[in-house]
Amino acid sequence: MRELIFELNYQSGWNPVADTLVEYSDATIRSLSCHVTSDNLWRVDHILGSPDALNAVETAYKTSDYFPDCLVTEDCEATSETQVLDRTEESLVIYCVWERSDICTSVPHLALEHFGEGLLFETRQEENRHVWRIILPGNEPIGSFADALRAEIDDIGGMELLRLTDHKPGAGGSATQASDDLSTEQRQALHAAVAHGYYETPRQIELTDLANELSIPQSTLSYRLQRAEAHLATNFVAADSSLDSLSTNQ
């Protein structure tokens, strides 16, 4: 398995979302989900910023000639849909889906063509910077993908490779290894909490009722869950090659 992280920089006037983020430098966009097939691309993005920034970003997403991640410099005649899933004063969640035309291409589609299926994508956007993190299931060389991506973005911006890491099976930092360190009681408490919807929104069961289901005191259940959550969170942060930390180091 390999981890590839690279950055795209858009020139002014090409990408409406990037232009909006330059204007509202306090706003950031992070992908919550991104999936690709040979014909389609759909993603869910989480935007943080001021109310004015959120309004401007939403408008940019819904601009008729803009499609998420499309690298074509002219209208590619793709079919797209954009929908707001959630909105607060300082955050916005947007769902986008588009169906490719014959001339459409994008970062996920190029990755699919060069690396095959089973890819995981994470992105972060701030100002004109769009940082991509792709998890590759194998150890495929990245040279041809990087060359193809540079050729596509040459007229609209630039690309910089930031990190390429090989991850061997059994290396530290996996969720399985982190959970293996939990006690039997903590694992049972987590399994029961998930199964009964304790972590759902809205919550499907309260702590008191969950404790009754397990026939243990509420204080005992609360302690087990807190210790398990703290352990998993600590291991996740320690192992995560996050785009946030990478961004702050640029």
Side-chain angles (χ1 to χ4, degrees):
M1 183 175 70
R2 310 188 92 180
E3 176 189 52
L4 172 64
I5 301 180
F6 57 91
E7 175 184 316
L8 305 181
N9 289 276
Y10 297 115
Q11 297 176 3
S12 175
W14 180 84
N15 186 311
V17 171
D19 290 344
T20 302
L21 293 178
V22 170
E23 181 179 357
Y24 297 91
S25 59
D26 63 310
T28 60
I29 303 174
R30 184 154 188 172
S31 60
L32 298 179
S33 180
C34 181
H35 302 276
V36 64
T37 68
S38 58
D39 298 321
N40 299 88
L41 171 67
W42 59 97
R43 60 185 295 155
V44 178
D45 290 334
H46 184 219
I47 302 100
L48 296 176
S50 65
D52 288 342
L54 297 183
N55 289 334
V57 170
E58 181 180 351
T59 299
Y61 267 80
K62 293 182 176 180
T63 300
S64 60
D65 59 354
Y66 171 75
F67 304 104
D69 306 317
C70 188
L71 299 175
V72 177
T73 56
E74 297 180 357
D75 186 3
C76 61
E77 300 180 354
T79 302
S80 70
E81 176 187 350
T82 301
Q83 181 178 352
V84 174
L85 299 182
D86 187 52
R87 178 72 182 261
T88 67
E89 185 175 351
E90 296 181 346
S91 70
L92 178 66
V93 179
I94 287 184
Y95 166 80
C96 295
V97 59
W98 60 279
E99 183 176 349
R100 297 176 74 182
S101 68
D102 292 338
I103 64 173
C104 277
T105 191
S106 69
V107 170
H109 285 113
L110 287 175
L112 181 66
E113 292 166 5
H114 286 82
F115 303 127
E117 298 180 347
L119 306 174
L120 297 177
F121 300 94
E122 179 185 14
T123 72
R124 180 179 177 86
Q125 300 176 67
E126 52 188 9
E127 298 187 347
N128 70 329
R129 300 177 61 238
H130 194 169
V131 182
W132 284 83
R133 179 188 184 209
I134 307 178
I135 303 299
L136 314 176
N139 293 315
E140 299 86 351
I142 68 164
S144 61
F145 166 76
D147 290 342
L149 181 54
R150 286 194 179 98
E152 291 290 346
I153 201 172
D154 185 56
D155 293 333
I156 58 178
M159 172 198 172
E160 179 182 0
L161 290 175
L162 299 180
R163 182 184 302 165
L164 177 63
T165 306
D166 291 319
H167 295 284
K168 297 181 180 180
S174 72
T176 300
Q177 289 174 317
S179 63
D180 285 345
D181 293 335
L182 299 176
S183 69
T184 300
E185 292 80 6
Q186 290 170 350
R187 293 169 64 89
Q188 290 174 342
L190 281 176
H191 278 282
V194 171
H196 287 84
Y198 179 73
Y199 293 110
E200 296 291 331
T201 303
R203 184 168 288 170
Q204 302 299 307
I205 191 171
E206 296 300 326
L207 192 64
T208 301
D209 297 327
L210 183 58
N212 290 335
E213 289 281 343
L214 298 175
S215 301
I216 59 176
Q218 178 180 337
S219 59
T220 300
L221 176 60
S222 177
Y223 177 78
R224 291 175 182 175
L225 288 176
Q226 288 176 5
R227 297 301 299 168
E229 292 163 1
H231 178 78
L232 294 176
T234 300
N235 278 275
F236 170 80
V237 171
D240 182 42
S241 299
S242 71
L243 297 186
D244 290 325
S245 62
L246 185 64
S247 175
T248 58
N249 291 329
Q250 296 303 306

